[in-house]
Amino acid sequence: MDKSMQRAYAKINIGLDVLRRRADGYHEVRMVMQTVDLYDELLLEKRAEPGVVLQTDNRELPLDGSNLICRAADLLFREKKITEGVKITLTKRIPIAAGMAGGSADAAAAMRGLNELFGLEYSVPELQKLGVKLGADIPYCIVGGTMLSEGIGEVLSPLPAPPEAFLVIAKPDINVSTAFVYGNLHADLLQCHPDIDGMIKALREGDLRGITDRLGNVLETVTVREYPVIEEIKELLRAEGAENALMSGSGPTVFGVFREADAAKRAAQAVEKKGLAKQIFVTTFYNERSC
Ligand code: ATP
């Protein structure tokens, strides 16, 4: 095999709670992760010269060793002592620094692709164990779907997929650093915590209303204070008929959940018309396993 094509799916958090800050600086989380039908594409091609060559259609991204794709490839090459090289062509669609784990999804897709291309025979848990060295969301991104994510994000338990719904995903034109948001979160002072157990029950019962009633993300306490446009988008999506709306991850991306595709399309147009976001997608939950 000379080539491998991989999709790197974005995630949203339909529930995100932070339990405490550990002594080592990591935060202990309890999150419900959900893959959405929005993805980057990675074409991996073998090349005789050693090392990783990355190219992309996106001008914002670094192409050197700091790109998570290169870091993932370097890690696998070192572990398996691979002397050949690889060219990776990334078609970027997932908004960057958005709270949708785009970089982690790309790294996970690169790991899956290299596993296939070079016949490395890593099992899924082995790939996840390697991936967590590069980022807490990577073990989740290796498989995707609907998952409860605990620990620092690496302890995963599969959950049933939510019922069909339509999503508007809107990223305001600001970049938010995940480190800034967690750095400014006072986990011990949080007054409200999302009802993650209730969310899990609603997922098990296939109860869309029960799910949307429980959308919650404690990181909004930091990011929304800094960027009020997030709350404006949430309010507009609700006014346009969303069952509910929430910021994903550390933000600033907002998603709204709709029962009807037409309402979702109209809401996306309303967000665009008001100039609240530049990157706007109408999509759905996605529950095919990636691995
Ligand atoms: P998370 O939800 O995991 O916090 P995010 O969606 O907020 O992630 P990313 O899009 O993963 O953020 O990007 C965060 C930073 O990582 C950016 O500053 C970007 O330059 C860097 N980065 C490195 N490699 C990639 C990549 N392949 N795709 C996107 N960003 C990357």
Side-chain angles (χ1 to χ4, degrees), residues 167-190:
L167 303 169
V168 173
I169 292 178
K171 190 208 166 208
D173 198 17
I174 40 178
N175 284 358
V176 172
S177 139
T178 306
F180 169 84
V181 176
Y182 274 98
N184 284 280
L185 180 78
H186 300 288
D188 42 339
L189 299 181
L190 287 169

Side-chain angles (χ1 to χ4, degrees), residues 28-272:
E28 220 169 271
V29 293
R30 204 153 181 255
M31 316 189 279
V32 181
M33 317 283 280
Q34 175 61 52
T35 310
V36 296
D37 197 359
L38 166 65
Y39 55 85
D40 295 342
E41 277 172 312
L42 280 80
L43 172 65
L44 299 95
E45 296 169 282
K46 273 189 188 172
R47 60 199 288 275
E49 306 77 39
V52 187
V53 175
L54 177 64
Q55 56 185 37
T56 177
D57 55 351
N58 186 296
R59 294 217 217 117
E60 277 180 58
L61 284 178
L63 292 175
D64 58 11
S66 69
N67 193 297
L68 271 170
I69 293 175
C70 300
R71 294 182 59 203
D74 287 341
L75 179 64
L76 258 57
F77 277 23
R78 264 201 318 276
E79 288 283 323
K80 289 284 183 181
K81 300 187 175 49
I82 295 168
T83 51
E84 294 169 85
V86 67
K87 180 170 105 178
I88 303 180
T89 308
L90 168 69
T91 307
K92 191 79 195 162
R93 297 196 193 89
I94 305 173
I96 296 169
M100 302 193 77
S104 302
D106 289 349
M111 293 178 86
R112 289 195 306 264
L114 292 170
N115 200 29
E116 186 177 287
L117 195 61
F118 291 98
L120 305 181
E121 296 190 346
Y122 278 120
S123 66
V124 171
E126 284 169 341
L127 278 183
Q128 290 176 316
K129 211 168 154 192
L130 277 175
V132 77
K133 294 183 186 179
L134 301 176
D137 282 345
I138 295 180
Y140 164 74
C141 290
I142 286 173
V143 284
T146 313
M147 293 263 181
L148 175 66
S149 159
E150 295 173 291
I152 61 161
E154 85 295 14
V155 181
L156 299 169
S157 317
L159 293 170
E164 186 187 58
F166 299 89
L167 303 169
V168 173
I169 292 178
K171 190 208 166 208
D173 198 17
I174 40 178
N175 284 358
V176 172
S177 139
T178 306
F180 169 84
V181 176
Y182 274 98
N184 284 280
L185 180 78
H186 300 288
D188 42 339
L189 299 181
L190 287 169
Q191 301 281 325
C192 298
H193 290 271
D195 178 12
I196 301 284
D197 290 328
M199 167 81 71
I200 293 170
K201 184 166 175 279
L203 282 163
R204 293 202 200 289
E205 290 170 356
D207 171 12
L208 186 62
R209 191 62 200 262
I211 294 166
T212 54
D213 278 351
R214 289 176 178 79
L215 296 185
N217 178 352
V218 294
L219 300 182
E220 285 188 342
T221 57
V222 179
T223 320
V224 174
R225 203 173 46 218
E226 199 76 15
Y227 303 108
V229 65
I230 294 168
E231 196 56 46
E232 260 186 86
I233 299 175
K234 286 175 62 179
E235 278 167 18
L236 181 57
L237 291 174
R238 287 191 198 114
E240 292 289 328
E243 297 293 307
N244 203 351
L246 189 72
M247 183 183 86
S248 180
S250 49
T253 301
V254 174
F255 65 92
V257 184
F258 294 79
R259 283 186 191 268
E260 306 294 336
D262 284 348
K265 283 181 203 150
R266 279 197 300 275
Q269 283 163 3
V271 174
E272 192 181 9

Side-chain angles (χ1 to χ4, degrees), residues 2-20:
D2 296 327
K3 288 181 187 194
S4 170
M5 193 74 186
Q6 296 287 328
R7 287 181 176 182
Y9 282 90
K11 63 86 185 161
I12 55 174
N13 302 91
I14 54 177
L16 194 162
D17 197 10
V18 176
L19 306 183
R20 65 184 187 99

